[in-house]
Amino acid sequence: MAPEKAQCCCIFSNEMKYFQKMTMTPTVEGRQNVVIMGRKTWFSIPAQNRPLKDRINIVLSRQMKEPPAGAHYLASDLSSALSLLDNAEIAARADQVWVIGGSSVYKEVMESLGRQHLFVTRIMQQFDCDTFLPQISPEKFRLLSEFPDVPKAMQEEDGIQYKYEVYESVEM
């Protein structure tokens, strides 16, 4: 019998709370964080949870001509999405920028220049799946031993262990 394919709905409740806390909590009072995601990631979010509340939602798509219902902005690529943040209206409201998927968007941001952090949930089990985080280059990123508000201990839900890791870009 073949192993079951992992489904995107199998997100752990504590991990989802962690994701919400991290992406919803701005460092500057009165501002909102920005979440940038590809079209497939947007549509993988249950309709009742779109847009991700208390965050500025930017969806990337080369095919769409208008933002999908509920999204705040649409950009054709990551560079265009980041350029949107230079707009005075958005710049006055925006704080941290979080790129939340998918794989090709992660790859692009991980290959770009500039100071960045990667917040990774490492699941300590193998699953049959078709989407992966790009390889984290040790020449470009270093694993931090700790980071504010990120639990250090191993987590476990439904018999599956996972841990949070934070990587920081290495000065080049």
Side-chain angles (χ1 to χ4, degrees):
M1 188 159 121
E4 284 187 60
K5 199 165 235 186
Q7 301 289 319
C8 65
C9 63
C10 296
I11 296 173
F12 307 118
S13 63
N14 289 337
E15 205 278 338
M16 181 56 74
K17 289 175 189 167
Y18 167 78
F19 170 82
Q20 289 175 330
K21 176 184 173 200
M22 297 302 285
T23 62
M24 288 175 76
T25 308
T27 60
V28 179
E29 192 171 329
R31 294 199 176 207
Q32 288 185 312
N33 289 337
V34 175
V35 287
I36 298 175
M37 69 198 89
R39 174 187 52 81
K40 291 179 186 175
T41 299
W42 171 263
F43 285 112
S44 75
I45 299 168
Q48 69 270 18
N49 297 331
R50 296 188 307 243
L52 296 179
K53 70 177 184 171
D54 299 325
R55 289 157 280 192
I56 300 167
N57 289 237
I58 300 176
V59 175
L60 306 179
S61 174
R62 289 182 180 84
Q63 294 88 25
M64 300 178 86
K65 301 300 178 212
E66 295 179 14
H72 301 113
Y73 300 96
L74 174 69
S76 59
D77 55 37
L78 182 61
S79 177
S80 299
L82 295 173
S83 293
L84 280 173
L85 303 177
D86 294 332
N87 172 300
E89 175 203 337
I90 300 171
R93 297 180 10 224
D95 187 25
Q96 300 176 89
V97 177
W98 292 83
V99 175
I100 63 169
S103 292
S104 62
V105 184
Y106 288 143
K107 185 177 188 306
E108 185 176 353
V109 78
M110 289 166 69
E111 291 174 351
S112 66
L113 299 176
R115 186 170 181 255
Q116 50 188 297
H117 289 94
L118 307 179
F119 291 81
V120 176
T121 301
R122 187 162 310 275
I123 300 172
M124 310 309 284
Q125 188 171 328
Q126 294 293 315
F127 290 92
D128 181 24
C129 55
D130 60 3
T131 304
F132 301 91
L133 179 69
Q135 194 71 25
I136 299 172
S137 167
E139 291 82 34
K140 184 143 169 103
F141 295 97
R142 67 182 171 103
L143 177 62
L144 301 178
S145 59
E146 58 184 74
F147 195 88
D149 299 321
V150 176
K152 290 194 286 186
M154 183 71 69
Q155 309 292 306
E156 185 171 337
E157 285 188 67
D158 298 328
I160 298 173
Q161 293 184 322
Y162 59 94
K163 62 182 178 179
Y164 300 118
E165 298 176 343
V166 180
Y167 294 81
E168 183 175 65
S169 54
V170 176
E171 298 294 322
M172 300 204 132

